[in-house]
């Protein structure tokens, strides 16, 4: 049970809301010395200084202000928490943006197929935001000589416990301010009354945070519990007050397991113009709930990414509700990334997507019950002019093979990532689609796992895939020939022989594309065959 919850938790950071830099190298935790990048003398010295917090403290006393940036960069890169604490508590600038100092984490193709890497980069992101947020608040509480007043943590997920921590300090500062306001009113009023039974003076509450400053923290928040939801809603409401000293601003919001009523409250207290990403997975939302939430969605005019996956939205059951969401999309002129997976669309894709102002760059509609008409619409829609990432997994694409071929041809000049896992494709479908796949001259990642094909068909397709000029990763399953043998030893030998043959094909073909290198072949079990047998 614990492992399932952990995988769900990491899955929260995968997909529409956090776009991958597909052309970049893996995060430095996996690739510590980027090829071709030689560190400057400044960064070498900074890396040496932040190894010791005492040395860092001595450096901040004498160094020019501009050197605080490379020092913080190296401290974050090396996870030097003590050095980060020293630098933050003596930060000479009024602003700090984590994305300009910490190395990017959502990079490369690895998160698409390597769950261990995904878990590592999420943990690293949470470490950055946890350290920065907690250290910043503590430096203010201790009245340390920091000039920092604006902290931007966006681009990196913030753990729910830190969201609660920050929200509680917003409320604490507000409560103390209100208490002192009442105390001042009492002290000003009581001398005019002859009431010896009342104290003549009440001392003000000593504020936890400095009174003579205004603090703003921007972050990407993840909320899943009622307690955090309640505290965050109050903090966001207080943040909208003109004289609030400590404010929170949410740029990306992930809300899970809350339900429509709590989501409605949360969306109403957001500062709508700042919100760029919204992820509402696993909230048991229905088509009626979407209608109720549509007015709040319409206010998010700067939204670039929306994830409604893994709910119970049956679009095919209500044209009116589907049209309502489609009309809501017209109020999102910057929407570029959309995930509707694990909801039931069934012939309503045109109704849903035709009103989106600009072509989508990312579309995930896995397990949506797509029909031939849905694939036909996609192949002729305006989205083909910009679609870079497309996931059609867990839809029955065999009957739509002809239309899928047209769709792939239309995306030949833009598609970078294509996934059609467990789509019921067989040998004849692979053969029919091969010319269209061969036109994908920019595709970097191709996932066709969990489709039942023979060894002969897989070999033939792998030969063609290895010749794609930019393809870096091809993910597939073992062919059906590797199963249904009398012994597990024979099946294992079949797998080893098949992989060896495929790798030999890839190795020979890579000579024709030396600038890209050898295509990585990822072969996984054909899980569906075991499910069918059981």
């Amino acid at each position: 049970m614990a492992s399932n919850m952990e995988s769900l938790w990491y899955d929260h950071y995968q997909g529409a809301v956090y776009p991958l830099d597909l052309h970049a190298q893996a995060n430095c935790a996996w690739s510590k010395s980027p090829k071709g990048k030689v560190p400057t003398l400044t960064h070498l010295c900074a890396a040496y200084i932040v190894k010791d917090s005492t040395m860092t403290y001595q450096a901040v006393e004498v160094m020019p202000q501009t050197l605080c940036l490379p020092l913080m960069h190296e401290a974050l890169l090396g996870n030097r928490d003590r050095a980060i604490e020293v630098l933050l508590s003596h930060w000479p600038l009024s602003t700090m943006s984590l994305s300009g100092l910490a190395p990017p984490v959502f990079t490369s193709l690895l998160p698409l197929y390597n769950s261990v890497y995904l878990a590592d980069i999420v943990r690293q992101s949470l470490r950055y935001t946890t350290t920065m947020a907690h250290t910043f608040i503590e430096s203010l509480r201790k009245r340390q000589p920091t000039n920092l007043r604006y902290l931007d943590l966006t681009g990196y997920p913030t753990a729910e416990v830190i969201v609660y921590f920050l929200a509680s300090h917003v409320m604490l500062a507000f409560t103390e301010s209100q208490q002192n306001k009442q105390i001042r009113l009492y002290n000003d009023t009581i001398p005019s009354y002859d009431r010896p039974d009342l104290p003549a003076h009440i001392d003000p509450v000593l504020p936890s945070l400095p009174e003579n400053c205004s603090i703003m923290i921007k972050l990407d928040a993840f909320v899943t519990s009622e307690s955090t939801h309640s505290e965050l809603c109050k903090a966001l409401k207080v943040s909208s007050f003109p004289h609030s000293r400590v404010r929170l601003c949410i740029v990306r919001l992930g809300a899970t397991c809350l339900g429509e009523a709590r989501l409605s409250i949360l969306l109403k207290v957001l500062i709508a113009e700042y919100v760029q990403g919204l992820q509402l997975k696993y909230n048991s939302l229905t088509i009626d709930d979407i209608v109720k939430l549509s007015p709040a969605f319409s206010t998010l005019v700067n939204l670039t990414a929306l994830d409604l996956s893994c709910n119970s939205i049956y679009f095919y059951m209500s044209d009116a509700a589907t049209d309502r969401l489609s009309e809501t999309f017209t109020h999102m002129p910057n929407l570029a990334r959309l995930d509707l997976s694990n909801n039931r669309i069934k012939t309503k894709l045109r109704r849903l997507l035709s009103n989106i102002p600009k072509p989508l760059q990312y579309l995930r509609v896995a397990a949506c019950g797509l029909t031939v008409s849905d694939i036909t619409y996609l192949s002729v829609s305006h989205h083909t002019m910009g679609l870079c990432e497309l996931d059609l997994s867990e839809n029955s694409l065999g009957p739509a093979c002809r239309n899928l071929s047209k769709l792939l041809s239309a995306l030949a000049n833009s598609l970078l990532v294509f996934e059609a896992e467990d789509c019921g494709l067989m040998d004849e479908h692979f053969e029919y689609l091969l010319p269209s796949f061969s036109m994908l001259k920019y595709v970097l990642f191709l996932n066709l796992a969990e489709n039942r094909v023979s060894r002969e068909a897989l070999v033939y397709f792998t030969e063609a895939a290895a010749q794609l000029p930019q393809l870096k990763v091809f993910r597939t399953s073992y062919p059906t020939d590797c199963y249904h043998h009398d012994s597990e030893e024979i099946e294992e030998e079949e797998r080893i022989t098949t992989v060896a043959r495929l790798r030999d094909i890839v190795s020979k073909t890579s000579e024709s594309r030396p600038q890209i290198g050898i295509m990585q072949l990822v072969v996984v079990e054909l899980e569906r065959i075991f499910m069918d047998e059981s």
Side-chain angles (χ1 to χ4, degrees), residues 449-455 458 476-496 498-499 522-533:
E450 292 288 351
N451 289 294
R452 295 192 182 192
V453 294
S454 65
R455 181 186 292 109
L458 183 57
T476 185
S477 293
Y478 293 107
T480 53
D481 307 62
C482 295
Y483 300 93
H484 301 300
H485 291 282
D486 294 333
S487 68
E488 293 183 1
E489 290 78 8
I490 296 176
E491 290 187 350
E492 185 61 25
E493 288 179 9
E494 289 283 352
R495 293 187 183 91
I496 294 172
T498 299
V499 171
V522 180
V523 185
V524 298
E525 287 285 358
L526 187 60
E527 297 290 348
R528 183 66 65 179
I529 202 166
F530 299 117
M531 293 175 64
D532 290 348
E533 287 177 353

Side-chain angles (χ1 to χ4, degrees), residues 51-188:
K51 288 181 179 180
D52 182 78
S53 59
T54 304
M55 192 186 307
T56 305
Y57 180 80
Q58 293 171 346
V60 298
E61 295 291 319
V62 298
M63 70 178 184
Q65 288 188 4
T66 53
L67 291 182
C68 67
L69 299 173
L71 283 169
M72 182 60 81
H73 172 77
E74 293 300 328
L76 289 166
L77 190 63
N79 291 319
R80 309 288 182 183
D81 292 349
R82 296 292 297 276
I84 292 171
E85 182 178 346
V86 171
L87 289 167
L88 259 181
S89 61
H90 295 79
W91 195 251
L93 307 175
S94 62
T95 65
M96 178 190 289
S97 175
L98 182 58
S99 62
L101 297 170
V105 292
F106 293 100
T107 59
S108 81
L109 299 168
L110 275 170
L112 296 174
Y113 64 95
N114 191 322
S115 59
V116 176
Y117 176 78
L118 177 63
D120 281 352
I121 62 174
V122 170
R123 280 195 292 264
Q124 186 62 52
S125 298
L126 296 174
R127 180 166 186 166
Y128 289 150
T129 52
T130 298
T131 301
M132 298 294 281
H134 185 266
T135 305
F136 177 46
I137 294 296
E138 285 302 304
S139 67
L140 292 173
R141 288 172 62 93
K142 296 175 181 178
R143 304 300 196 272
Q144 292 175 329
T146 180
N147 291 325
L148 185 60
R149 296 295 179 264
Y150 176 87
L151 179 60
D152 187 347
L153 301 176
T154 57
Y156 300 81
T158 301
E160 184 170 23
V161 64
I162 295 300
V163 174
Y164 188 92
F165 172 77
L166 293 174
S168 64
H169 277 82
V170 171
M171 294 307 300
L172 178 62
F174 176 74
T175 301
E176 291 172 343
S177 176
Q178 292 298 104
Q179 287 175 341
N180 283 332
K181 188 181 296 184
Q182 294 296 321
I183 290 172
R184 285 194 298 269
L185 181 61
Y186 175 89
N187 290 336
D188 292 341

Side-chain angles (χ1 to χ4, degrees), residues 215-235:
I215 297 162
M216 168 74 85
I217 302 175
K218 292 177 69 175
L219 70 157
D220 300 342
F222 172 48
V223 184
T224 188
S225 69
E226 295 179 19
S227 57
T228 303
H229 168 268
S230 176
E231 196 73 7
L232 180 60
C233 286
K234 290 185 290 186

Side-chain angles (χ1 to χ4, degrees), residues 152-330:
D152 187 347
L153 301 176
T154 57
Y156 300 81
T158 301
E160 184 170 23
V161 64
I162 295 300
V163 174
Y164 188 92
F165 172 77
L166 293 174
S168 64
H169 277 82
V170 171
M171 294 307 300
L172 178 62
F174 176 74
T175 301
E176 291 172 343
S177 176
Q178 292 298 104
Q179 287 175 341
N180 283 332
K181 188 181 296 184
Q182 294 296 321
I183 290 172
R184 285 194 298 269
L185 181 61
Y186 175 89
N187 290 336
D188 292 341
T189 306
I190 197 64
S192 62
Y193 293 92
D194 185 15
R195 292 290 303 275
D197 57 318
L198 296 177
H201 179 83
I202 299 178
D203 293 331
V205 176
L206 183 64
S208 302
L209 302 177
E211 280 192 299
N212 58 344
C213 64
S214 179
I215 297 162
M216 168 74 85
I217 302 175
K218 292 177 69 175
L219 70 157
D220 300 342
F222 172 48
V223 184
T224 188
S225 69
E226 295 179 19
S227 57
T228 303
H229 168 268
S230 176
E231 196 73 7
L232 180 60
C233 286
K234 290 185 290 186
L236 290 173
K237 184 65 176 179
V238 166
S239 297
S240 67
F241 297 164
H243 301 296
S244 182
R245 291 189 298 109
V246 185
R247 302 181 182 183
L248 290 185
C249 178
I250 305 297
V251 175
R252 293 180 181 87
L253 173 65
T256 299
C257 304
L258 294 178
E260 180 273 327
R262 291 190 179 90
L263 288 178
S264 182
I265 296 171
L266 183 54
L267 292 174
K268 286 177 182 177
V269 294
L270 290 174
I271 305 175
E273 59 265 29
Y274 287 108
V275 181
Q276 297 177 13
L278 183 62
Q279 187 178 66
L280 304 180
K281 287 184 174 182
Y282 307 109
N283 281 290
S284 301
L285 297 178
T286 65
I287 191 67
D288 294 331
D289 294 332
I290 291 299
V291 173
K292 295 176 185 177
L293 294 172
S294 290
F297 290 159
S298 298
T299 65
L300 306 177
V301 293
N302 292 318
L303 197 71
T304 61
L306 177 62
D307 185 348
L308 296 174
S309 64
C310 302
N311 284 292
S312 303
I313 310 170
Y314 299 144
F315 293 104
Y316 71 93
M317 295 179 66
S318 174
D319 287 349
T322 301
D323 291 341
R324 182 67 178 271
L325 181 59
S326 180
E327 193 273 332
T328 301
F329 288 150
T330 63

Side-chain angles (χ1 to χ4, degrees), residues 343-397:
N343 296 294
R344 307 306 287 174
I345 292 177
K346 281 187 183 180
T347 74
K348 303 301 180 183
L349 199 62
R350 179 189 296 273
R351 272 191 126 96
L352 276 170
L353 304 187
S354 58
N355 284 332
I356 296 178
K358 295 180 181 178
L360 291 172
Q361 298 173 16
Y362 172 104
L363 177 62
R364 188 165 184 264
V365 282
C368 286
L370 298 184
T371 64
V372 174
S373 64
D374 295 319
I375 303 300
T376 302
Y377 161 71
L378 267 186
S379 68
V380 297
S381 72
H382 66 296
H383 300 294
T384 57
M385 294 186 289
L387 206 53
C388 299
E389 300 176 60
L390 176 62
D391 189 348
L392 301 176
S393 299
E394 298 181 64
N395 291 289
S396 180
L397 297 182

Side-chain angles (χ1 to χ4, degrees), residues 12-41:
H12 178 84
Y13 303 105
Q14 186 180 28
V17 172
Y18 284 101
L20 292 174
D21 185 348
L22 300 171
H23 296 281
Q25 294 184 22
N27 178 254
C28 57
W30 282 54
S31 175
K32 205 125 195 186
S33 301
K35 295 178 181 178
K37 188 173 183 179
V38 179
T40 64
L41 181 59

Side-chain angles (χ1 to χ4, degrees), residues 4-13 122-123 126 159 222:
N4 290 338
M5 287 301 295
E6 185 175 85
S7 64
L8 168 64
W9 186 66
Y10 290 132
D11 179 62
H12 178 84
Y13 303 105
V122 170
R123 280 195 292 264
L126 296 174
F222 172 48

